[in-house]
Amino acid sequence: MTAEPVPEEYGAVVPMRGGADTTSMPPHDLEAEQAIVGAMMLAPDAIAEVSAVMDPADHYRPAHETIHCAIIELHAQGRPVDPITLGHHLDQVGDLARVGGRAYLHTLVQTVPTTAHASHYAEIVHRLARRRRSIEAGTRIVQAGMAPDATEEDLREALALGASTLPGVWAEPIPLNHQPKLPPFPVHALPTWLADFTAAVAEETQTPVDMAGALALSVLATAAGGRAVVQVRGRWREPTNLFVVVALGPANRKSAVFATMTGPLYEAERMLLNAATAPIVEAELTAKMAQEAADQAAAKAAKTEGPEKDLLVAEAIALAQAAEALTIPPRPRLLADDATPEVIATLLADQGGRLAVMSAEGGIFDIIAGRYSGTPNMEVFLKGHAGDRLRVDRRSREEYVEAPALTMGLAVQPTVIEDIGKNRGFDGRGLLARFLYSLPESLVGHRKIDPDPVPEAIAARYERNVIALTLSLADWTDPAVLPLTPEAGAALNAFAQRLEPQLRAKGGRLGHIGKWAGKLVGATARIAGLLHLAGHLEDGYGKPISAATTKAAVELADYFTQHALTVFDLMGADAALSRARTLLEVLAASGWESVSRRDLFAKLSRSEFPTIADLEPAVALLEEHGYLRSETPPRTGKRGRPPAPRYLIHPQLREAQV
């Protein structure tokens, strides 16, 4: 690897390899440290892999610890991590020169053998850090024991401090229900007029920007859904409707934010209705007169006898057919709320395939589950999201909706998320996989009492633009096709390539939510189409989607991914986590100091742990959280199978303090 520059304040460092005298050097591996921070800059997935194995303080070189901490900070904020962004951040906080400058950041990236081995490098660094701490602990104890003026208290303190660093001492376990801090909504990814209003609404209502931001996407989808599609490649087209749900606890002013964000849609709906009133009245009158004429002709034909009857019957039939052929335009509707699936299907047919279900409550899930009918009915929601042909059977006629585009924008309490996760039908049919989830942190208890109101100019621009976008696409019958520029297509492909390994059922970061993550590239294309139309209000349908817009959509997709992982955790989608909780209960109840794998497996339910292989992911998770340690006994002979591992149990579990 290329040697790193050595800032004066860090002093000279000699690698352990290379023949130098290392007898006085603490154990360390600078090459592994360089590979770790370099891999974290190259592959965002490596950040989570490394964090699961080591702590930034495990680095021997302070520069690497500083860089490692900065990477984690940027990643937690949802910002990209690369040498340029990282260098800018370190420069702002005054650490750039101390870590070796921008050139060294680029050197770290160039010297990574492969990002696939980042966790292995982290294990090396973590193992060496533990050795250094053991040496430090032993040195501290020896120094205290050799000091002639050391008191008993000094010795006890040295022993306690030393013990806290030794591998055999148990640290405080990390609770299984501990959730990582989720990234905030990247409001900067929205077009300026929408970002300004979203941020201003969040300030005025003192709510997380996530709620207004996620609902802003639902508003755009309501305006454009069913009237525009994104041409991804070949025959792959994505409609521009979305299912979005924000989960926030009570007293978070969901209704206020909801009313503010959706207000222009109701105004646009009113304007569409006013424009359609005259044609509707004319069509109703014409249909009434035609039906009356047909009825009169039929009555006259019924009273007539002789040769003239056949002529009058034919005339009555013709008038009846003409009356039947007349159609009355439906009253324009953009929004629905407390409606059954059957009503929603009818509204979709009436409105040419475009409709939005927007609600500040989660009652729609109860309706889908069969609150009124007693039978779950999610067909219209599944097809309405995917754009699959929908057949609507009415009493008087049958209709087809060629390409339905149903949008959903919901703000619910977190308990609703937990409850819908228990409905096997929702998950089995794939309904839950169609939502983009946001789980912001509540601001209750930290709110300003007198916040700044939304500036009138920003509010007026938001209302004007939402109405304009809605009305400009209202009369489209064939949807506008939005192609991607070659650069935009490359950006979407790069995202798909980054995502694909994470979908693996075994070892993939998103494997346990594969149904949801498998739709993420398509959802990203939909978001890109909406951002494009919002950024080009007058002529968006005539321009291709740019790379910058696609990258903004990818940033939003990364945000929704982080939140989806936590939401599906709440819904119990992670089988390993669920089993780990069961395992934790068994360990706490048994009071073991250690237990063999066989004895532990014998204590568990076969319904939850069918095979011993199902035990391993749960054990690994508990080991990561510090509740147990694996220990393989030494061989007693050269033949036969190696001894099965035993598990050492955290003392807190034996004391029933978990």
Side-chain angles (χ1 to χ4, degrees):
M1 281 194 175
T2 305
E4 59 170 320
V6 182
E8 181 180 350
E9 54 266 43
Y10 289 132
V13 175
V14 181
M16 292 191 69
R17 307 187 187 97
D21 179 15
T22 60
T23 55
S24 62
M25 295 289 295
H28 64 281
D29 191 327
L30 293 181
E31 290 183 344
E33 293 184 13
Q34 289 178 321
I36 288 168
V37 289
M40 293 169 74
M41 282 188 275
L42 283 173
D45 293 344
I47 298 174
E49 294 174 6
V50 169
S51 298
V53 176
M54 65 171 287
D55 187 82
D58 288 344
H59 288 287
Y60 176 73
R61 181 119 178 128
H64 297 153
E65 179 181 354
T66 301
I67 296 170
H68 193 138
C69 290
I71 290 173
I72 292 176
E73 182 180 350
L74 289 176
H75 186 68
Q77 295 172 0
R79 296 165 62 187
V81 179
D82 54 61
I84 296 175
T85 308
L86 187 59
H88 179 71
H89 172 75
L90 290 169
D91 190 26
Q92 284 186 321
V93 298
D95 287 336
L96 183 60
R98 296 176 61 244
V99 302
R102 299 181 191 276
Y104 185 50
L105 298 179
H106 288 279
T107 298
L108 292 173
V109 169
Q110 294 166 5
T111 53
V112 177
T114 171
T115 60
H117 295 166
S119 61
H120 176 66
Y121 305 144
E123 289 173 1
I124 294 173
V125 171
H126 179 61
R127 186 168 59 249
L128 293 173
R130 292 178 69 182
R131 289 177 57 191
R132 290 197 305 274
R133 289 167 188 148
S134 297
I135 294 170
E136 180 184 353
T139 302
R140 184 183 297 118
I141 295 170
V142 169
Q143 289 174 343
M146 295 292 291
D149 57 345
T151 65
E152 291 295 324
E153 183 64 29
D154 292 335
L155 291 174
R156 281 194 295 270
E157 183 179 353
L159 288 169
L161 290 173
S164 67
T165 65
L166 293 175
V169 175
W170 291 93
E172 187 72 17
I174 303 170
L176 279 178
N177 59 0
H178 172 75
Q179 299 294 348
K181 186 174 178 62
L182 294 174
F185 187 89
V187 68
H188 59 270
L190 301 175
T192 302
W193 64 269
L194 191 55
D196 289 346
F197 185 73
T198 297
V201 169
E203 167 65 21
E204 180 181 278
T205 58
Q206 286 296 286
T207 55
V209 72
D210 309 59
M211 181 156 56
L215 292 176
L217 292 177
S218 297
V219 169
L220 293 180
T222 302
R227 301 299 187 263
V229 296
V230 177
Q231 178 73 39
V232 181
R233 61 174 177 270
R235 297 186 180 181
W236 182 8
R237 291 183 174 183
E238 286 287 344
T240 50
N241 55 303
L242 296 174
F243 284 11
V244 180
V245 59
V246 184
L248 259 178
N252 271 284
R253 300 168 180 166
K254 293 190 291 290
S255 297
V257 176
F258 218 92
T260 302
M261 298 302 297
T262 59
L265 292 175
Y266 285 98
E267 178 61 21
E269 184 180 80
R270 186 189 64 78
M271 295 171 69
L272 289 171
L273 181 58
N274 288 342
T277 297
I280 290 173
V281 171
E282 181 180 348
E284 288 176 340
L285 181 59
T286 301
K288 181 179 180 181
M289 293 173 61
Q291 188 61 52
E292 289 176 352
D295 292 343
Q296 291 175 1
K300 183 177 180 181
K303 296 177 181 179
T304 303
E305 298 293 340
E308 189 178 357
K309 183 178 181 66
D310 291 340
L311 182 62
L312 291 176
V313 168
E315 181 180 353
I317 292 174
L319 288 172
Q321 290 174 338
E324 181 67 22
L326 293 174
T327 59
I328 300 173
R331 297 180 179 276
R333 286 282 301 273
L334 293 174
L335 302 152
D337 186 353
D338 187 11
T340 65
E342 294 75 17
V343 170
I344 290 174
T346 298
L347 288 172
L348 271 172
D350 288 344
Q351 303 303 318
R354 174 170 74 167
L355 187 71
V357 176
M358 305 284 279
S359 175
E361 301 294 339
I364 187 65
F365 290 113
D366 292 335
I367 295 174
I368 297 172
R371 175 199 289 172
Y372 300 124
S373 63
T375 304
N377 184 354
M378 60 189 77
E379 197 74 14
V380 65
F381 300 96
L382 299 177
K383 292 184 175 180
H385 179 273
D388 296 336
R389 186 177 292 109
L390 177 67
R391 183 172 186 170
V392 180
D393 293 316
R394 294 185 173 183
R395 292 180 179 178
S396 58
R397 64 185 187 275
E398 293 183 354
E399 289 186 349
Y400 288 92
V401 184
E402 278 294 324
L406 180 64
T407 287
M408 295 184 74
L410 309 174
V412 304
Q413 294 191 21
T415 53
V416 174
I417 295 291
E418 296 178 27
D419 290 342
I420 63 176
K422 298 173 185 176
N423 189 313
R424 293 182 178 271
F426 286 174
D427 184 42
R429 295 291 305 278
L431 179 65
L432 301 183
R434 286 164 164 76
F435 281 92
L436 298 175
Y437 297 94
S438 176
L439 192 65
E441 185 176 352
S442 172
L443 297 183
V444 173
H446 304 277
R447 296 178 292 195
K448 296 180 184 177
I449 302 304
D450 187 22
D452 297 330
V454 177
E456 288 298 328
I458 290 178
R461 182 171 58 169
Y462 172 76
E463 182 174 9
R464 182 172 63 251
N465 288 348
V466 170
I467 292 174
L469 180 61
T470 306
L471 297 183
S472 67
L473 295 171
D475 294 332
W476 285 68
T477 51
D478 294 330
V481 179
L482 308 176
L484 300 170
T485 64
E487 295 78 13
L492 190 63
N493 286 341
F495 174 61
Q497 188 171 11
R498 169 162 65 89
L499 185 67
E500 190 63 25
Q502 302 179 49
L503 303 179
R504 294 170 185 160
K506 293 186 177 180
R509 172 171 167 261
L510 305 175
H512 64 291
I513 57 169
K515 292 179 183 178
W516 182 90
K519 301 180 184 298
L520 188 55
V521 175
T524 305
R526 296 184 183 205
I527 294 172
L530 294 173
L531 297 181
H532 172 77
L533 291 171
H536 302 84
L537 292 167
E538 295 182 356
D539 57 355
Y541 51 84
K543 293 183 176 181
I545 300 172
S546 69
T549 299
T550 304
K551 290 177 180 177
V554 168
E555 188 172 356
L556 285 164
D558 284 334
Y559 162 85
F560 284 118
T561 300
Q562 293 293 334
H563 284 248
L565 284 167
T566 299
V567 166
F568 278 98
D569 181 9
L570 290 174
M571 293 190 293
D574 192 341
L577 182 60
S578 176
R579 288 171 176 162
R581 289 181 176 132
T582 299
L583 190 54
L584 199 59
E585 293 174 1
V586 171
L587 293 174
S590 301
W592 294 310
E593 289 188 20
S594 68
V595 62
S596 69
R597 181 169 60 184
R598 176 182 295 180
D599 290 343
L600 177 58
F601 183 64
K603 275 275 192 178
L604 302 170
S605 166
R606 294 290 82 83
S607 62
E608 191 168 6
F609 295 87
T611 68
I612 204 163
D614 298 307
L615 175 63
E616 296 306 320
V619 166
L621 195 57
L622 290 185
E623 193 166 6
E624 289 176 7
H625 283 71
Y627 285 102
L628 56 78
R629 294 177 183 150
S630 296
E631 182 181 66
T632 302
R635 281 180 178 269
T636 57
K638 295 183 178 180
R639 296 185 178 181
R641 295 182 179 179
R646 291 186 66 83
Y647 304 121
L648 305 180
I649 314 303
H650 196 292
Q652 280 194 11
L653 292 181
R654 300 200 301 274
E655 298 164 6
Q657 294 177 357
V658 178

